[in-house]
Amino acid sequence: MGTSQEGAEMKEIVRLSVVLAVVGCLAGVALSSVYSLTRQQILLQEQKAIFTAQKALFPEAEEFKPLEIEAQVLGSVWIDRAYEAMNAENQAIGLLVNARTPGYGGMIVFVVGFDLDKQVRGVQVTSQSETPGLGANVTKSSFLDQFVNKSIQDPFVVKNDVKPITASTITTKALVQGLKSSIEWLQSNDRGGTS
């Protein structure tokens, strides 16, 4: 008698295990599909933000030609991509570097543009998760405009030639380090007339 009850319990355990396995597989497939769809959208949004930043820095450019580079880490800064800004005559008018630097609240993703005469054309932050009202001011022109036309030979020192964001020294230093690393990459790769 006990054996048939044990057999029934075993069958129930096997049945429940099969049901759980099927549900787990279906959930995995669903999550994978959602991830694939959202990942595509995230990549499209990132590309759109990069193009918008590039166009803000070089509005006269007709094309942003990707350079074949390998992503590089300089200290804590990731140099992800680089582009040549090309005019209507297909001549390079500048260089853009896409980079990421760790801020206070996460990665600060930015694009920095360089003229051929060793000047910073400007900086555009494309993504950040800094504290609203404080570090998030890293995206504001009142902060970023100070970098326009700075020479790559400038020291880029917070509270010296770089005015910090009020109450956000960590964020300010993070972006400044990102800019310094971008300049270091530019110089070591002999780009933008920096030889």
Side-chain angles (χ1 to χ4, degrees), residues 7-190:
E9 288 175 359
M10 185 57 86
K11 284 182 182 179
E12 184 63 16
I13 290 171
V14 169
R15 186 184 74 76
L16 288 174
S17 297
V18 169
V19 168
L20 284 174
V22 168
V23 168
C25 285
L26 291 174
V29 168
L31 283 173
S32 176
S33 297
V34 168
Y35 174 78
S36 292
L37 290 173
T38 57
R39 182 72 184 140
Q40 295 267 336
Q41 283 299 336
I42 290 168
L43 289 173
L44 285 173
Q45 290 303 316
E46 286 175 358
Q47 290 172 349
K48 184 179 176 183
I50 288 168
F51 179 76
T52 301
Q54 291 171 330
K55 204 62 178 159
L57 294 170
F58 285 95
E60 71 277 26
E62 291 291 319
E63 178 189 4
F64 300 102
K65 185 170 136 188
L67 297 174
E68 291 189 24
I69 68 162
E70 289 188 28
Q72 188 174 357
V73 182
L74 299 171
S76 60
V77 179
W78 287 79
I79 305 298
D80 293 324
R81 287 171 253 162
Y83 299 83
E84 280 185 311
M86 309 299 285
N87 66 13
E89 289 78 37
N90 202 32
Q91 297 170 326
I93 55 173
L95 187 94
L96 300 119
V97 175
N98 294 20
R100 294 178 283 148
T101 185
Y104 179 77
M107 282 296 196
I108 300 169
V109 183
F110 65 95
V111 178
V112 57
F114 299 99
D115 284 331
L116 298 179
D117 60 357
K118 302 181 185 180
Q119 302 281 330
V120 175
R121 172 64 76 102
V123 181
Q124 294 284 307
V125 174
T126 60
S127 175
Q128 55 83 25
S129 53
E130 300 300 281
T131 307
L134 296 171
N137 291 333
V138 73
T139 63
K140 293 197 172 184
S141 61
S142 57
F143 171 68
L144 295 175
D145 284 352
Q146 69 182 307
F147 301 109
V148 175
N149 296 325
K150 276 183 82 63
S151 169
I152 64 171
Q153 304 302 325
D154 286 356
F156 288 86
V157 175
V158 177
K159 295 183 181 175
N160 179 357
D161 67 322
V162 175
K163 183 180 173 194
I165 301 167
T166 304
S168 297
T169 306
I170 293 172
T171 302
T172 304
K173 287 182 177 179
L175 186 66
V176 168
Q177 186 55 54
L179 294 174
K180 285 177 162 180
S181 293
S182 297
I183 290 167
E184 180 185 336
W185 179 87
L186 181 82
Q187 292 173 319
S188 68
N189 286 279
D190 195 30

